[in-house]
Amino acid sequence: TLTQPASVSGSPGQSITISCTGTSTDVGGYNFVSWYQQNPGKAPKLIIYDVNNRPSGVSDRFSGSKSGNTASLTISGLRAEDEADFYCSSWTSTSAFYVFGTGTQVTVL
Amino acid sequence: QVQLVESGGGVVQPGGSLRLSCATSGFAFTDYSMHWVRQAPGKGLEWVSIVSYDESQKYYSASVGGRFRISRDNSKDTHYLQMNGLRPEDTALYYCAAARNAAWHNFDFWGQGTLVTVSS
């Protein structure tokens, strides 16, 4: 499991960053990190793939990066509609194959 | 319009079996490998299994290996998860997800999930 903060909050218009810490066998070893937004009662939605790429149709307010064993998701210009749970994921060279982060609840104050 | 629709969930006693289905439309099914991901009530996401586009490769998490079996029918654009020996800790919302063949690690499309409850 990848480690994320349980919750992050910010005011409308601000920027927030969610961290995702793994090891050299997953986040640190490969550029196979993706991020998912899950609104309450809904399925997850891919918002960042391969560390820092956005699928078509995803707002450019979402951006991803990685340094060492930690990946990060930044949401700029925070909006009320961004309130959701966010999960990171990575391929892992261990027999686990794929691991998800513990999840971060984003609150817009 | 991409659609993934899971079905087959329900309530089952410990030790029982269920077969989940994921019917897809709106994309080229054989361009994608298919995953199952589950989410226990109030918990995070957990990867369960993947099947490659041609069924030549199948992988399972340690928690379900030996009990669950993944498959697909490319003529029906559908994939399946046969779950045997169910345990209470298998209780979860089961999502199917599609990943491009060249990038299994990106879960591009998701269904809405089907709920599996294992209880006596």
Side-chain angles (χ1 to χ4, degrees):
Chain A
T1 304
L2 308 176
T3 301
Q4 300 178 229
S7 63
V8 173
S9 62
S11 299
Q14 286 186 329
S15 292
I16 61 170
T17 297
I18 302 169
S19 61
C20 169
T21 302
T23 69
S24 59
T25 61
D26 40 63
V27 173
Y30 311 91
N31 289 327
F32 293 156
V33 177
S34 51
W35 288 90
Y36 302 86
Q37 178 180 19
Q38 186 177 34
N39 292 106
K42 300 295 186 181
K45 172 189 173 184
L46 177 67
I47 57 173
I48 294 289
Y49 67 94
D50 295 346
V51 177
N52 56 11
N53 294 280
R54 278 187 310 275
S56 174
V58 172
S59 172
D60 60 4
R61 298 185 299 105
F62 295 100
S63 61
S65 62
K66 190 184 84 166
S67 178
N69 294 336
T70 298
S72 299
L73 173 72
T74 297
I75 309 174
S76 58
L78 201 60
R79 299 177 181 176
E81 67 207 49
D82 297 330
E83 282 206 339
D85 292 328
F86 291 82
Y87 293 90
C88 60
S89 176
S90 176
W91 184 80
T92 169
S93 59
T94 70
S95 58
F97 294 105
Y98 302 95
V99 287
F100 283 96
T102 49
T104 298
Q105 183 177 55
V106 167
T107 301
V108 181
L109 302 172
Chain B
Q1 178 185 358
V2 171
Q3 282 196 313
L4 291 80
V5 180
E6 302 93 337
S7 61
V11 180
V12 61
Q13 291 187 339
S17 298
L18 279 177
R19 188 196 195 206
L20 306 184
S21 299
C22 172
T24 74
S25 61
F27 63 98
F29 190 59
T30 53
D31 285 351
Y32 289 79
S33 297
M34 299 301 297
H35 293 270
W36 288 97
V37 176
R38 67 185 182 184
Q39 187 169 34
K43 301 297 185 181
L45 301 171
E46 179 190 11
W47 177 77
V48 173
S49 182
I50 183 175
V51 58
S52 63
Y53 75 101
D54 61 356
E55 280 197 295
S56 63
Q57 299 178 75
K58 301 177 182 180
Y59 300 103
Y60 302 90
S61 68
S63 58
V64 308
R67 300 187 297 125
F68 290 10
R69 187 172 68 252
I70 194 169
S71 62
R72 65 189 289 161
D73 184 340
N74 289 341
S75 69
K76 297 181 179 179
D77 292 351
T78 299
H79 86 293
Y80 308 94
L81 186 68
Q82 177 66 44
M83 304 187 295
N84 301 324
L86 283 162
R87 305 167 179 168
E89 55 264 36
D90 295 319
T91 294
L93 187 63
Y94 283 73
Y95 293 105
C96 64
R100 293 181 188 274
N101 291 334
W104 288 10
H105 53 281
N106 297 321
F107 303 87
D108 294 285
F109 311 131
W110 296 69
Q112 290 303 305
T114 186
L115 183 61
V116 172
T117 302
V118 184
S119 174
S120 55

